[in-house]
Amino acid sequence: MAGRHLTAALLRCPPSTSAATAARLRAFGTRVFGTATNVDEPIVPSVRIEDTQLLIDGKFVDATSGKTFPTVDPRTGKVIAHVAEGEEEDINHAVSAARKAFDDGPWPRMLPYERSCILLRFADLLEKHREKLAEIETWDNGKPYKQAYDIEVPMLVRLIRYYAGWVDKLHGLTVPADGAYHVQTLHEPIGVAGQIIPWNFPLLMFAWKIGPALACGNAVVLKTAELTPLSALYAARLLHEAGLPPGVLNVVSGFGATAGRALCSHKDVDKIAFTGSTETGKTVLELAAKSNLKPVTLELGGKSPFIVCEDADVDKAVEMAHQALFFNQGQCCCAGSRTFVHEKVYDEFVEKARARAQKRVVGDPFKKEVEQGPQIDPKQFQKILKYIKSGIENGATLQYGGDRYGSTGYYIQPTVFSDVQDEMPIATDEIFGPVQTILKFRDLDDVIRRANRTHYGLAAGVFTQNLDTANTLTRALRVGSVWINCYNLFDAAIPFGGYKMSGIGREKGIYSLMNYLEVKAVVTPLKDPAWL
């Protein structure tokens, strides 16, 4: 995804003297960093927000309690809309609708070709409403409109078509046995799938979850992220316009502590899929185990290494490492957030990385030249600023940025640290923001040991012109994805997921289908078989 670069323009470079650094440290004692250039008056989107209720059994309905919560424009902090707040009773209604749709409804009993046609019609509608989907996504999330329109909505369409193509290919096997028996395996839908998606890629995560689940013939109860509920609700409306039967997909907006907990604990849910933080993933796994021991897939956090070897083309490596970290405001679980650079090219890389950050365009994400919009909310905004403060206090060299950008909204300057040590919090913790940490390494053994010395294992990038070096690192790194001389490639067929505490199972591709299928062995005796 990050291979699609946006136009950049020069940002004002702050002083880099020790006095300026001291001033920044003093600023941390106040409310926020010192102000920078103001962001222009935000563009008003043309889209009308109409879908703010819960979607249960094919109908948009209010929450049982009547409660709503605001979803906020991160550019301004102003409310976009008030959305129905689903709680345990609403989850119960949604699960009941899904169970009825699975047990008694037409979806799992349709010809696979018919299910495929509905998903293909859905993809066509997504394509037709591309502009509106991108506007909603940008307004609710803060990501650049160009990113949403040019990259993410087309990826959404492609992924739905990919899974539409799998619907009539989920066949089992004929298995040889010792003796006169006919043995076959059946692949059957698992039942009611509970799904919880994050706020950083609402539309894409919606597709990553429902695509394989629906292709396999399951029913779904999906909880949106409370920070970004709008685009999934609109996409779900389009799916029903495409002909999805009532109850097959139910969407409940709400909070993790109420709706999320109820979904994970529900004994009539047959499977849980969650994308989010590692700490929350532990809770999801515990709740699922304590209820009915339902299987769980988890796509969790990361602190991914991006390794620049001594033979690298430094200019290309700087751009790739920049995109690997700063894409989506740094709010990406697989962000290349530990940039390891060989000591022979380290100084040149740092200088050019600083220059690239200076050129990064921050501002209203609805403007076509903008590369970086606001962070998602004030909590995330303040968290990132605290990590920047810790980097300065722990002795890393602040090469660029470090301040908030503007005086309104949740914008942060692209920030680059050099002289980062492995034990610093900015090198060990998932910051989830536009903070690049550059570390020096001396040889492959050194970088392999350090890159793997983390409880995460989601992804890694390797930049080298040497095939042997690439092969060595590919096999040595304990991660679920390794990108060689590229980063953030998310084709629909490429599996994605993590080692260690970055998750369980895989999203996308053929591997994700097995998360939503049960395998049944059927054994029949053969009388006087002609052959075995």
Side-chain angles (χ1 to χ4, degrees), residues 333-362:
C333 56
C334 60
S337 52
R338 290 183 295 155
T339 308
F340 287 97
V341 181
H342 193 277
E343 58 188 7
K344 289 185 178 180
V345 294
Y346 186 84
D347 291 341
E348 179 186 1
F349 185 97
V350 169
E351 177 64 29
K352 291 180 175 179
R354 178 175 67 242
R356 177 62 180 91
Q358 291 172 1
K359 295 177 182 178
R360 188 167 183 82
V361 183
V362 182

Side-chain angles (χ1 to χ4, degrees), residues 491-513:
D491 187 274
I494 301 174
F496 183 78
Y499 286 27
K500 299 186 281 188
M501 291 178 68
S502 284
I504 301 170
R506 294 294 181 267
E507 306 274 0
K508 302 192 292 99
I510 188 173
Y511 293 94
S512 67
L513 295 164

Side-chain angles (χ1 to χ4, degrees), residues 415-427:
T415 297
V416 177
F417 280 106
S418 64
D419 303 314
V420 177
Q421 304 303 311
D422 292 345
E423 69 279 1
M424 293 179 181
I426 59 172

Side-chain angles (χ1 to χ4, degrees), residues 501-532:
M501 291 178 68
S502 284
I504 301 170
R506 294 294 181 267
E507 306 274 0
K508 302 192 292 99
I510 188 173
Y511 293 94
S512 67
L513 295 164
M514 298 311 298
N515 299 330
Y516 296 96
L517 292 170
E518 294 281 17
V519 178
K520 179 182 289 182
V522 180
V523 182
T524 306
L526 295 172
K527 184 177 180 181
D528 300 325
W531 51 268
L532 288 176

Side-chain angles (χ1 to χ4, degrees), residues 252-314:
V252 178
S253 51
F255 293 85
T258 50
R261 178 174 288 271
L263 184 59
C264 294
S265 301
H266 205 293
K267 293 187 177 182
D268 217 11
V269 170
D270 299 302
K271 185 260 185 305
I272 288 287
F274 170 80
T275 297
S277 73
T278 295
E279 287 307 308
T280 304
K282 293 178 184 179
T283 301
V284 168
L285 196 59
E286 180 182 11
L287 292 172
K290 286 183 175 179
S291 54
N292 58 343
L293 206 62
K294 61 179 73 68
V296 176
T297 49
L298 303 171
E299 196 266 281
L300 306 176
K303 192 68 178 176
S304 300
F306 186 98
I307 300 170
V308 180
C309 298
E310 62 181 305
D311 65 340
D313 180 320
V314 174

Side-chain angles (χ1 to χ4, degrees), residues 223-243:
K223 191 195 88 66
T224 60
E226 58 267 27
L227 294 174
T228 55
L230 298 178
S231 58
L233 287 167
Y234 183 65
R237 173 185 287 278
L238 297 179
L239 181 48
H240 283 79
E241 288 183 18

